[in-house]
Amino acid sequence: MEKTNRRNTLALISIMLGAFISLLDTTIVNVALPDITTALHATSETIEWVISGYALAFGLVLILAGRLGDKFGRKNIYIIGITLFLIMSITAGFATSESSLIVSRVIQGLAAGLFFPQINATIMDIYSGKKLGKIFGILGSVIGVGTAIGPLTGGLLIELFGVTNGWRAVFFVNVPFVLVTLVLATLYMPKRTISKNKISFDFPGILLLTTALLLLLFPLISSGANDFKPLDYLLMALSIPVFIVLYKWSVIQDKKGNQPLISPNLLKNNQFVSGMLLSLVYFAAFTSIFFVLSLTWQTGFDRSAILSGLAISPFALGSVLAASNSHRFIAILGRKLLMLGVILVIVGLSTVSIVFHLNEGPFSAWLLFLPLFIAGIGSGLIIAPLNSFTLSTVEGIERGGASGMFNTAQRIGSSFGIAVVGSVFFRTLGNTAATSKASAFSDSLQMSMYINIALLIVCFLLIFRLPKNI
């Protein structure tokens, strides 16, 4: 029994490390963007693709990867995905051009999407009952922490290795984590996870979803600081009929007894759809915060990467404290916990916007400590419980597909947030009448914060659609 528990613990460490590095890479690159811009002569479109391309590729492959794990074994797919992630981390670190970095980041995102679904499934293979709920709580905390400490970690690496090689170290830092993960996964992840049931792969559904999202997001990301062209509007408009075709295709496949990429039954579950949309919108608001703050603090205020990371670190601190204790409040407050979390994030970001408004130029990072700490607490109260609230609305037999759709919504939300908020940020920067670079960036950040706050208000309204308790 003790030997089994030890194997389970080491397997858990392996997959938790995988979860950590995959989410760390969504934000750690933010503080490296100014140095990447200088080193590779990158445009605003490139730096958006470096962040958003990773998240988009991550999200697109999640549901397919879950079925690959069922078909060929979770351990096998996890090891393949984590190995590809390792290779792409190295190629990104050695990138010598904009295109090579973007390609590495997109494939790195695909690799993360390949191994990430095996994490939830493996946890359910190993644990059950109350222990399962506790482990998922730990996973939620790891995801929140990994996302939140990215900017500080990136800042420390750039400070340690310098502006020339520091941004490369941001990618190379994955290597030791991945090597440990590979060894532990090879030795201790359970092998008995290949499903005996017939597993089908909805490749037309994957193609339709990919096409629809690219039509919607490509114009937003690629336009950067430039104004939209008529073709951009046309491409975004074309995404609507493709989404409709995807839904119709899914209905047809479901009636035939196949396994469509998007389950029509889940889309009929209003509470689940509300939770999925809430997750998408929240991650759109949440992830983009680090993007605009890092650019403003470094490029606009000429501060170092480490100071940029430290300026944002109160958010990480608040998020860690709240996420690690959120399970204690779920039973008492129910969905009011999510409401409280969103309110705290809105209050925190509104105060951040006010601080930038009252200071035309650079100011002490201490002025941001309390508002970012409050916002971080709110974020920690949202991320960990939201998974439980949403999946509690789904019957056990459908929870695998629901978990895939839910995680896909988070990653697509991150990509969408960077695309929309980044587009607003760069356009405001290009059109502002501010007299100095610092005030121009400050104006752009404030405009971006308005978008974030609007998205958070949508989140608050969606919470009413969730069950009152898990």
Side-chain angles (χ1 to χ4, degrees), residues 173-406:
V173 74
N174 293 325
V175 174
F177 289 105
V178 175
L179 290 176
V180 173
T181 300
L182 270 174
V183 171
L184 292 177
T186 301
L187 294 175
Y188 298 109
M189 275 187 74
K191 299 177 182 179
R192 57 186 187 280
T193 53
I194 299 178
S195 175
K196 295 180 180 179
N197 300 322
K198 181 183 177 182
I199 305 296
S200 63
F201 301 100
D202 183 11
F203 291 111
I206 295 167
L207 179 62
L208 287 168
L209 178 61
T210 303
T211 301
L213 289 171
L214 287 177
L215 285 170
L216 179 63
L217 296 177
F218 185 85
L220 287 169
I221 299 172
S222 295
S223 58
N226 303 315
D227 292 330
F228 281 136
K229 301 179 180 65
L231 180 60
D232 294 325
Y233 291 109
L234 176 61
L235 291 174
M236 287 189 287
L238 285 174
S239 70
I240 297 174
V242 179
F243 276 120
I244 294 173
V245 172
L246 171 62
Y247 176 74
K248 297 291 186 182
W249 168 263
S250 300
V251 171
I252 292 170
Q253 294 304 302
D254 187 59
K255 287 180 179 179
K256 289 181 177 180
N258 296 327
Q259 298 171 342
L261 183 71
I262 306 297
S263 169
N265 290 330
L266 288 173
L267 294 180
K268 293 174 184 176
N269 182 335
N270 292 330
Q271 289 185 324
F272 170 74
V273 170
S274 296
M276 189 173 64
L277 288 174
L278 170 56
S279 181
L280 187 153
V281 175
Y282 180 71
F283 270 74
F286 159 62
T287 309
S288 59
I289 293 168
F290 303 112
F291 180 70
V292 295
L293 275 173
S294 296
L295 285 175
T296 299
W297 208 253
Q298 289 175 254
T299 307
F301 289 0
D302 294 321
R303 301 292 175 86
S304 66
I306 184 63
L307 287 178
S308 176
L310 287 170
I312 304 170
S313 63
F315 189 103
L317 177 62
S319 181
V320 170
L321 291 174
S324 60
N325 292 283
S326 60
H327 65 281
R328 303 174 187 225
F329 307 112
I330 295 175
I332 302 171
L333 296 176
R335 72 183 183 190
K336 291 180 182 177
L337 182 66
L338 297 176
M339 294 178 181
L340 175 61
V342 172
I343 289 171
L344 289 175
V345 180
I346 290 174
V347 169
L349 295 190
S350 298
T351 308
V352 168
S353 182
I354 291 170
V355 170
F356 275 91
H357 178 72
L358 295 176
N359 295 272
E360 294 184 359
F363 53 84
S364 171
W366 286 107
L367 293 177
L368 295 179
F369 184 92
L370 185 58
L372 284 177
F373 182 71
I374 291 171
I377 290 176
S379 186
L381 295 178
I382 295 168
I383 291 177
L386 183 55
N387 183 65
S388 299
F389 270 96
T390 304
L391 296 184
S392 69
T393 67
V394 180
E395 296 297 327
I397 194 171
E398 289 189 317
R399 282 190 177 176
S403 178
M405 290 175 65
F406 180 79

Side-chain angles (χ1 to χ4, degrees), residues 15 61-81 112-125 189 193 407:
I15 58 179
V61 77
L62 280 170
I63 300 176
L64 172 64
R67 292 182 186 170
L68 287 171
D70 290 337
K71 179 74 173 178
F72 300 107
R74 313 196 208 294
K75 178 176 181 176
N76 296 331
I77 301 303
Y78 185 85
I79 290 174
I80 291 170
L114 195 60
F115 71 74
F116 195 87
Q118 319 315 323
I119 295 171
N120 281 339
T122 300
I123 289 173
M124 288 188 283
D125 288 338
M189 275 187 74
T193 53
N407 287 319

Side-chain angles (χ1 to χ4, degrees), residues 160-176:
L160 184 62
F161 292 99
V163 295
T164 302
N165 296 312
W167 70 269
R168 299 185 185 277
V170 163
F171 299 108
F172 291 142
V173 74
N174 293 325
V175 174

